Amino acid sequence: MAHKQKIGLAIIAFSVYITGGIGCFSGISLILTMNGRDLWGCGDGRTIGYLFLCVGMALSILGVLFMRIFRNRGFS
């Protein structure tokens, strides 16, 4: 049971890290390509790109911190 919890925590940390990376790169692509155009009725594509970029960086940092904490505290 404890081994499954260790693997689960590692998968959660890695998926947060991967999600953040996808958010960063999609934000960069929105910033470069959607200048002044509406994105699905949600607003300016460039503004949403900045949102994706910032949230993606935060998630990437959070995923790395989770991986470091889980490894150093003996959870993995």
Side-chain angles (χ1 to χ4, degrees), residues 22-59:
I22 292 170
C24 282
F25 285 112
S26 64
I28 289 170
S29 68
L30 283 173
I31 291 168
L32 295 176
T33 60
M34 297 290 287
N35 189 13
R37 293 191 307 195
D38 190 41
L39 184 67
W40 304 311
C42 295
D44 186 31
R46 190 169 181 171
T47 306
I48 295 173
Y50 283 119
L51 175 70
F52 282 3
L53 179 66
C54 293
V55 171
M57 283 193 298
L59 285 176

